[in-house]
Amino acid sequence: QGPVVEYGGGSAQAGASLRLSCARSGLTRSSVVTGWFRQDPGKEREFVAAITSNGELWYTDSVKDRFIISRDNRNNMVYLQMNSLEPEDTAVYYCAAKMNYGCVTYECYARTSEYDYWGQGTQVTVSS
């Protein structure tokens, strides 16, 4: 396993909920930002949500009212609670860790090149 590992993907009906977990136990120090991204085959990896070490939350517009990112610092975990799932949410979901400061804008947090460590991805499939 790598320094960042995702858990919790699976299949769900539209309207249902799933929770993804990201274990950061392999990191030698705490990440400054932990983000969730997703990717459909043939498409670019896209930003979903991020949480910073001081508690700032960032979401892409399409999930803002449905997904919740949170963290458990004691267990070094970050979660993505996905509610009201839609077929368009079907993708491989990746957790990523950014180890250094420097982002102050949404565009920065959403940029894949800002992140230093990536998990292997977990499939989420939503059927209508």
Side-chain angles (χ1 to χ4, degrees), residues 22-26 71-79:
C22 175
R24 305 172 299 172
S25 55
R71 65 185 179 186
D72 177 349
N73 286 337
R74 185 168 65 176
N75 293 309
N76 211 6
M77 298 287 292
V78 170
Y79 304 100

Side-chain angles (χ1 to χ4, degrees), residues 6-99:
E6 305 94 344
Y7 301 94
S11 298
Q13 294 284 327
S17 298
L18 284 174
R19 189 174 82 155
L20 303 182
S21 302
C22 175
R24 305 172 299 172
S25 55
L27 298 174
T28 56
R29 57 184 174 92
S30 296
S31 58
V32 172
V33 184
T34 304
W36 285 98
F37 291 76
R38 63 188 181 188
Q39 188 170 22
D40 265 341
K43 295 184 179 179
E44 290 191 359
R45 194 167 296 187
E46 66 171 1
F47 174 76
V48 177
I51 185 167
T52 71
S53 57
N54 63 358
E56 290 178 57
L57 306 179
W58 300 84
Y59 295 96
T60 191
D61 284 345
S62 63
V63 309
K64 194 172 293 184
D65 298 323
R66 301 184 295 120
F67 291 9
I68 301 170
I69 189 170
S70 63
R71 65 185 179 186
D72 177 349
N73 286 337
R74 185 168 65 176
N75 293 309
N76 211 6
M77 298 287 292
V78 170
Y79 304 100
L80 185 68
Q81 177 67 41
M82 304 186 296
N83 302 317
S84 302
L85 283 163
E86 302 170 352
E88 293 73 21
D89 296 319
T90 296
V92 177
Y93 283 71
Y94 296 90
C95 180
K98 176 177 168 57
M99 305 306 291

